[in-house]
Amino acid sequence: MSENSSQNTPSALAKLWGGRFDAPTDALIERLNNSLVFDGRLWRQDIAGSVAHATMLGKTGILTPDEAAQIVAGLEALRGDLAQGVVILPPDAEDVHTAVEVLLKERIGAVAGKLHTARSRNDQVCTDIRLYLRDECDNLNTKIAVFQGTILEVSAQHFDTILPGCTHLQHAQPIVLAHHLLAYYWMLERDRERLNDTRKRINRSPLGAGALAGTGFPIDRGMTAELLGFESVLPNSLDAVSDRDFAIEFLSFAAITMMHLSRLAEEIILWNSPEYGFVLLDDGVTTGSSIMPQKKNPDVAELARGKTGRVYGDLMSLLTLMKGLPLAYNKDMQEDKEPLFDAVDTLHLVVPAMQKTLATAQFRTERMKRATAGDFSTATDLADYLAGQGLPFREAHEIVGRVVRYCIEKKIGLEQLDSDSLAEFSPLLRENPDAALAVLTVEACVAARNSEGGTAPKSVRAQWILANETLDDPTNNPLTGNYRVE
Ligand code: ARG
């Protein structure tokens, strides 16, 4: 036996279950078992849950009104002291639930021990997590909405800023910058939709499920649920204490949101490179190199991209943790908190950091436009023009293919063709070569794609208005069929 493992710490004070045991827990095992180091942050939720539980115990006559009042007053005073830092959670406590109860006992004496009547840490802990996540849903929702607001503001300046639109990272068709940025608006909109949906399933009460089988005390689960603002009571006590699907859903939301932010981050990194030069990032969101004085690195975007990996990991941790666990509570589930907290903390950092990056970015619109020169991205428009003149699209495609080859040989862009050379390729082009030439400018090309959701400045403005209304009024959302057409 190693020296360490034989050192026992007598910490009976900080245990809620000493009665059956002769010897104190091994020090190493204490460390393994301890969750206070990470679940300590749940003390507010733990106290809120206990206040509701004690109130209900008093109202139902399980405790006397006086006992309940003493417990509630003690918990409330404790809440104030913890918030002000007048007291701290006892570091030798096993977990947050123990810590709060130990502090309460110090304050109000033996009656504190009555708080745990008709309750187990198993229903207590998932009540705490649900209360915590419910708040974080709201906090993150607001941060994402702020980011969306920034996207709207930046987009509004770029309805006419043309840049190459890509597929396969190859120039495909010109688009406007507002169109590109608004794509992220809608991704984030769906992320908020997912978050709101997850919140509904988070907001159900497990309290009163006891350890697993319920309780013989005449509790009122509806009352505690109402006091805590839960929308309903989970109907099966085994399910209530033993599932973490709501946390997995939250982590799915987190992983998908990070995936979206990571794609934007990747584009910012590319656009900030000297080869693209589409964006200049603000000093406040970049860092320098200790060796290369010329460097200005897009660290925020790189970290957003990098941290996406750890949030995926958080989701995988919890999915793997829960897989194969028999009903009901198992201590494995204590491991649910760190991945959850990590994802929440990461989003709280990354969402506003990316928002700042975008809000302060300067777009180099001239370079964007120049990048479309000679890139043949209006070739489809010439084919569409010919198809519009009655030619089957396949034949039009063939003719334009020959035009492109001609330009490559001549080392010119499509927009540099003169009407005489263009007229050579088809009798249809000979009729009115100037009309055909007109479709070859990027402005015409962009303006022509005026279908709903398309890149024409007119269509993008309409999309922007829709987005703006959606953000202003979450019930007015085209994606959930609630959109009002005025
Ligand atoms: N710290 C524990 C957790 O996070 C609290 C529940 C303990 N339950 C138990 N039966 N030991 O899961």
Side-chain angles (χ1 to χ4, degrees), residues 35 39 95 97 121-122 125 244 329 331 333-334 336-337:
S35 60
D39 69 15
D95 54 24
H97 325 294
R121 280 184 293 164
N122 295 353
V125 69
R244 295 292 182 268
Y329 178 84
K331 192 63 174 247
M333 287 155 73
Q334 176 162 291
D336 60 356
K337 286 163 216 62

Side-chain angles (χ1 to χ4, degrees), residues 27 33 47 55-56 95 121 138 171 177 191 201 249 357 402 411 428 460:
N33 197 36
I47 290 179
T55 306
M56 180 279 291
D95 54 24
R121 280 184 293 164
D138 297 340
H171 291 199
L177 181 56
D191 292 333
R201 280 176 292 280
E249 270 193 53
T357 303
R402 279 191 272 120
K411 296 196 169 52
L428 281 173
V460 177

Side-chain angles (χ1 to χ4, degrees), residues 78-274:
L78 179 59
R79 170 159 46 204
D81 285 355
L82 280 167
Q84 283 175 18
V86 181
V87 291
I88 56 159
L89 300 174
D92 59 341
E94 185 182 353
D95 54 24
V96 64
H97 325 294
T98 310
V100 168
E101 211 175 304
V102 164
L103 290 176
L104 185 67
K105 193 171 176 199
E106 274 172 25
R107 232 159 242 261
I108 64 170
V111 68
K114 297 204 170 188
L115 169 60
H116 216 52
T117 315
R119 190 178 66 172
S120 153
R121 280 184 293 164
N122 295 353
D123 56 345
Q124 192 177 356
V125 69
C126 51
T127 302
D128 292 4
I129 303 172
R130 283 172 183 269
L131 290 174
Y132 164 81
L133 274 186
R134 188 179 69 187
D135 281 350
E136 291 307 344
C137 284
D138 297 340
N139 296 335
L140 289 168
N141 196 331
T142 305
K143 282 195 178 149
I144 295 170
V146 169
F147 193 171
Q148 288 178 289
T150 299
I151 294 177
L152 289 181
E153 274 169 37
V154 177
S155 300
Q157 297 157 34
H158 295 289
F159 289 123
D160 300 299
T161 301
I162 294 175
L163 76 158
C166 289
T167 58
H168 315 272
L169 202 57
Q170 308 284 326
H171 291 199
Q173 292 170 345
I175 55 172
V176 298
L177 181 56
H179 191 198
H180 193 113
L181 294 175
L182 284 171
Y184 288 100
Y185 175 93
W186 296 111
M187 293 180 219
L188 294 175
E189 184 62 17
R190 289 191 298 278
D191 292 333
R192 286 202 305 133
E193 232 181 280
R194 259 182 288 276
L195 188 60
N196 287 333
D197 199 51
T198 303
R199 190 190 189 283
K200 287 183 214 152
R201 280 176 292 280
I202 288 173
N203 201 20
R204 295 174 187 172
S205 178
L207 197 56
L212 75 164
T215 171
F217 288 101
I219 57 169
D220 185 340
R221 292 190 61 199
M223 188 190 295
T224 46
E226 203 182 320
L227 286 169
L228 292 168
F230 284 122
E231 241 160 48
S232 60
V233 165
L234 289 162
N236 181 312
S237 64
L238 294 172
D239 175 43
V241 290
S242 72
D243 205 358
R244 295 292 182 268
D245 58 353
F246 64 94
I248 292 172
E249 270 193 53
F250 178 87
L251 286 174
S252 308
F253 143 80
I256 294 171
T257 303
M258 287 299 292
M259 177 272 292
H260 287 150
L261 295 177
S262 178
R263 294 187 73 182
L264 177 60
E266 171 66 14
E267 298 209 285
I268 288 175
I269 293 162
L270 281 175
W271 288 6
N272 181 60
S273 71

